[in-house]
Amino acid sequence: MILYITVAVSAILIASKIESGHKNHIIIQGGVSRDKQGVSNRICFAGLFTLLFVVSALRIQTGNDYQTYIDRFHDIVCGNYVVTEPGFNLIVTAIYLFFQKEVYLVVFAVFAFLTIGVFLKALYEQSPDFQMSFFLFMALGIYFQTFNTVRYYFALALVLYSMRYVLRKEYVKFILMIMLAMLFHKSALVVIPLFLLARMNWKKGALIFFGIFALTGLFLEDFYMQVILYLYPSYIHEEEYLLAGSFSIVNIIRCIAVLVLALYCYKDAIRDSEENRFYFYLNLGALALYTCFTFIPFVSRIGYYLNISHLFFIPALLRAVPKRKKMWKILVVAAGILYFAAFLYKATDVTVKILPYSTWIFEEVEFVPLFESIQY
């Protein structure tokens, strides 16, 4: 736990030196112009990425599905039946064939490199306030959650990055980006209709209709489950998973808190802003899913595709809030710290299991030669 707190604080301090969308601070030295802030940004950005990557890449048996993924890597190269997507399978196969061993540590490191890189690039290039966005990235536990379900979080990073194309109305690029994400987690496909709907400027009547439709989830659970089982027949024999549901009071509270802030500054931040209105609708969609469709076992993943926009939306709202900006910022930071504390408190649970942290530096790790594993 001390390690994670140290990493979070150190990373946030480094990020505080990075100024996105900075004005050029030109210094003339020997007739050569230098962008002082730009140089500082690149150095800090490299340090930030290195810190996050190293902590992730050095872990071993840290995460609730770490061993499960090792077994999946083995099944992929052995030609056994797997449920993982072709993009993921291709990368695993390429790494194992290159090293001729089951170097699962390299696979985890590669996905850490890709996932962290895409997240940071999206935050730096798309956020109105990189420092606040990065604080939320750490405080909401998103970075540490990438230690689990590595396929999903890489897809999530690509989905976050794809929002730029929706806002620019570059829909071909958006769909291509989601198709890429789908090669690593097929659930990403759901954001195509959801993001396109959120991009539209809906009238009050349409919002009321969507609200009524969301409420049907409270009364037509059996009907929707039949539809889901028809589309995903693999769930039919996973009764325990189906009965588990996805109710999350934390995500509901989070969406409501963002909604309160959004309504408080709706006139100044949302009414005339296509970008913030897009994020506003995504938050409403996530709230509807978390409150009315909790019986769907994977609804939390769909909801996360929507409320990951909080990384952009909250900083945008804080910048546009009409008065008492400092107070609202303090409240958001305080809420983030409490959220992070609660996240660490639950980090030892079997469903999370990112604590205790273990590293392969202090262990002897032997990799099975690839030809032996295939024969096995």
Side-chain angles (χ1 to χ4, degrees):
M1 185 177 294
I2 294 176
L3 171 66
Y4 288 172
I5 294 173
T6 302
V7 169
V9 172
S10 300
I12 291 169
L13 288 175
I14 295 173
S16 68
K17 305 299 182 181
I18 300 174
E19 189 178 316
S20 57
H22 70 278
K23 297 179 180 179
N24 290 332
H25 300 281
I26 304 298
I27 301 176
I28 305 298
Q29 293 182 349
V32 179
S33 62
R34 301 180 186 276
D35 182 351
K36 185 178 180 180
Q37 184 60 50
V39 172
S40 175
N41 277 359
R42 287 190 287 273
I43 293 173
C44 292
F45 200 88
L48 183 62
F49 173 82
T50 301
L51 171 63
L52 299 183
F53 169 69
V54 167
V55 173
S56 181
L58 292 183
R59 77 188 193 279
I60 188 171
Q61 294 299 338
T62 301
N64 66 348
D65 56 1
Y66 193 96
Q67 184 59 50
T68 300
Y69 266 105
I70 294 176
D71 295 338
R72 285 177 177 173
F73 301 158
H74 175 81
D75 289 335
I76 289 170
V77 295
C78 289
N80 298 334
Y81 172 75
V82 291
V83 296
T84 48
E85 291 77 7
F88 179 78
N89 298 343
L90 179 62
I91 290 180
V92 172
T93 302
I95 292 173
Y96 274 30
L97 287 176
F98 179 81
F99 287 96
Q100 287 295 298
K101 292 182 180 181
E102 292 200 20
V103 284
Y104 55 87
L105 292 177
V106 177
V107 178
F108 284 117
V110 167
F111 274 94
F113 183 93
L114 295 173
T115 303
I116 295 167
V118 176
F119 264 123
L120 291 183
K121 183 175 175 61
L123 294 180
Y124 180 74
E125 295 181 355
Q126 296 167 239
S127 173
D129 184 346
F130 173 77
Q131 297 170 2
M132 177 56 70
S133 290
F134 184 79
F135 168 78
L136 294 171
F137 177 66
M138 298 301 294
L140 297 178
I142 297 170
Y143 163 68
F144 295 106
Q145 290 183 63
T146 63
F147 293 3
N148 290 320
T149 52
V150 294
R151 292 158 42 239
Y152 172 76
Y153 276 94
F154 179 50
L156 182 65
L158 293 173
V159 167
L160 182 71
Y161 190 86
S162 76
M163 291 181 184
R164 68 178 66 199
Y165 299 126
V166 181
L167 293 169
R168 296 174 187 169
K169 298 185 179 180
E170 297 176 351
Y171 298 123
V172 174
K173 291 182 180 180
F174 163 63
I175 291 174
L176 289 175
M177 181 63 70
I178 298 306
M179 296 303 289
L180 174 62
M182 192 182 69
L183 292 176
F184 296 91
H185 208 283
K186 58 180 176 288
S187 64
L189 189 63
V190 74
V191 308
I192 293 179
L194 294 178
F195 279 18
L196 294 180
L197 285 172
R199 184 65 179 82
M200 301 175 69
N201 186 12
W202 295 100
K203 303 300 181 182
K204 290 183 180 180
L207 291 176
I208 293 173
F209 169 78
F210 283 122
I212 294 173
F213 172 76
L215 291 175
T216 63
L218 300 175
F219 308 102
L220 301 176
E221 177 179 336
D222 292 339
F223 169 75
Y224 286 123
M225 284 303 299
Q226 289 300 318
V227 173
I228 291 168
L229 292 176
Y230 176 78
L231 296 174
Y232 295 92
S234 60
Y235 286 121
I236 293 176
H237 303 295
E238 299 185 23
E239 184 177 355
E240 182 178 350
Y241 184 58
L242 288 174
L243 293 176
S246 298
F247 180 75
S248 173
I249 187 63
V250 173
N251 280 315
I252 291 174
I253 294 174
R254 177 174 149 190
C255 288
I256 291 175
V258 173
L259 179 61
V260 170
L261 178 58
L263 292 176
Y264 176 75
C265 54
Y266 186 88
K267 180 180 177 181
D268 300 276
I270 299 171
R271 188 179 63 182
D272 300 319
S273 171
E274 292 185 353
E275 181 175 350
N276 290 340
R277 188 165 57 240
F278 170 68
Y279 299 144
F280 179 76
Y281 289 152
L282 291 182
N283 185 65
L284 284 181
L287 181 59
L289 285 172
Y290 286 130
T291 54
C292 300
F293 294 91
T294 57
F295 55 87
I296 301 177
F298 47 82
V299 75
S300 60
R301 289 179 178 174
I302 300 173
Y304 233 65
Y305 283 133
L306 303 182
N307 70 14
I308 193 67
S309 61
H310 288 173
L311 298 180
F312 300 147
F313 192 31
I314 294 175
L317 292 175
L318 291 175
R319 286 204 161 194
V321 70
K323 52 186 177 180
R324 298 181 178 177
K325 290 187 178 183
K326 188 174 182 180
M327 181 198 75
W328 280 104
K329 189 171 184 178
I330 291 173
L331 287 175
V332 169
V333 171
I337 293 172
L338 289 175
Y339 194 106
F340 186 60
F343 172 75
L344 289 181
Y345 179 76
K346 301 287 288 184
T348 56
D349 285 5
V350 68
T351 55
V352 184
K353 206 177 177 181
I354 62 169
L355 279 176
Y357 178 87
S358 299
T359 175
W360 49 262
I361 292 179
F362 305 111
E363 296 187 18
E364 278 192 34
V365 181
E366 294 185 7
F367 299 117
V368 178
L370 190 59
F371 67 91
E372 289 185 11
S373 75
I374 293 178
Q375 290 177 351
Y376 171 76

